[in-house]
Amino acid sequence: MLKPDLSHSAQRTWERTDETLLWQQFREGQEAAFQGLVQHFYRELHFYGGRFTRDSDLLKDCLQDLFLDLWTYRHKIVQTPYIRPYLYKSLRRKIHREVMRHSAVVNEDYIPFDDVSSDEITAEQALIHTELSEYQTARLNALLAQLSDRQREAIHLKFYAELSNEEIADILVVNKQSVANLLHRGLTRLRESWPSLLSLLAGWLLHESFTK
């Protein structure tokens, strides 16, 4: 059933209203809508999940289980406009559970959020959708690696997944103010380490208003 097309040509740009419509049709049992959800979200969920584990088989299994569970229990799933945070949170839980099963050193309430490695999608494409030189990209990746796992994950969810602070708080199981603090501290650290980063990223990345 799950045959996601990961090519660029297959990636369609959906407004959130379109996502909500797909979600409604999927819950009604329309398989075409379900396949649309898979193709629409698979790439970004795979990238997010890859920050928690380098085990590609484990990650693929978690994604497969996530979508199969959605289809199996579609009649019990409520209609919601918060589809993206719902999927992110569900995948995060599945990966956490599987990583804990395979490792005795993982804390029950904590799972590391890895940085972006050089052979994967670059930091600016993943987090801020802008263009930097190879040197600037490497420097940004190095700075991101110095942040805490929570700060990196909050930045990822804010600027790559484009979630609100309230949605991020639900995924991380913290309050909204904690998310604002994570973003402020992480982005302030980036700005202090690289003052000219503000102009390179067109200003909005390091804006201190994270109350949305």
Side-chain angles (χ1 to χ4, degrees):
M1 182 183 297
L2 301 180
K3 297 179 180 179
D5 184 349
L6 301 185
S7 66
H8 261 304
S9 61
Q11 295 301 306
R12 301 180 58 182
T13 303
W14 298 86
E15 297 293 338
R16 292 210 173 193
T17 52
D18 296 315
E19 293 175 355
T20 303
L21 178 60
L22 269 181
W23 188 258
Q24 178 181 339
Q25 293 173 340
F26 138 71
R27 291 176 58 249
E28 294 170 353
Q30 297 185 32
E31 188 168 341
F34 173 66
Q35 292 291 348
L37 284 172
V38 174
Q39 292 202 353
H40 180 48
F41 286 108
Y42 192 95
R43 182 185 291 271
E44 64 178 273
L45 288 173
H46 187 280
F47 179 70
Y48 177 62
R51 308 279 62 76
F52 295 112
T53 177
R54 296 296 182 182
D55 187 332
S56 60
D57 290 333
L58 184 150
L59 175 56
K60 289 177 182 178
D61 286 345
C62 287
L63 284 164
Q64 184 85 358
D65 288 345
L66 170 63
F67 286 113
L68 287 177
D69 283 351
L70 284 178
W71 183 251
T72 301
Y73 302 108
R74 61 190 180 278
H75 300 301
K76 298 180 180 180
I77 298 174
V78 299
Q79 181 67 14
T80 175
Y82 305 109
I83 300 165
R84 181 169 275 103
Y86 177 91
L87 295 175
Y88 272 68
K89 186 175 183 178
S90 298
L91 179 62
R92 191 179 194 271
R93 284 175 172 172
K94 285 183 178 297
I95 293 175
H96 192 170
R97 183 167 58 248
E98 289 304 309
V99 170
M100 284 185 60
R101 285 180 54 197
H102 293 84
S103 174
V105 298
V106 177
N107 186 290
E108 290 188 5
D109 301 317
Y110 171 80
I111 181 171
F113 190 81
D114 208 349
D115 57 338
V116 182
S117 64
S118 59
D119 60 342
E120 295 176 331
I121 186 170
T122 55
E124 81 284 1
Q125 291 172 321
L127 302 179
I128 53 181
H129 308 292
T130 188
E131 293 184 0
L132 301 178
S133 70
E134 183 176 349
Y135 165 76
Q136 290 166 339
T137 297
R139 185 177 180 186
L140 178 55
N141 281 331
L143 291 177
L144 288 170
Q146 295 175 14
L147 303 181
S148 71
D149 293 310
R150 283 280 189 167
Q151 289 169 347
R152 281 199 301 271
E153 187 174 3
I155 289 173
H156 179 105
L157 293 171
K158 185 70 173 183
F159 296 104
Y160 176 62
E162 298 180 349
L163 301 181
S164 69
N165 284 16
E166 185 174 359
E167 292 168 336
I168 296 171
D170 183 50
I171 293 172
L172 300 184
V173 196
V174 297
N175 59 47
K176 187 177 176 180
Q177 185 58 50
S178 294
V179 173
N181 293 341
L182 286 169
L183 290 168
H184 175 77
R185 291 167 185 163
L187 296 175
T188 297
R189 177 93 176 264
L190 292 179
R191 182 175 55 189
E192 290 173 346
S193 301
W194 190 358
S196 61
L197 184 63
L198 181 64
S199 59
L200 287 172
L201 304 185
W204 62 267
L205 172 62
L206 299 183
H207 194 280
E208 294 184 4
S209 178
F210 298 111
T211 58
K212 180 179 178 182

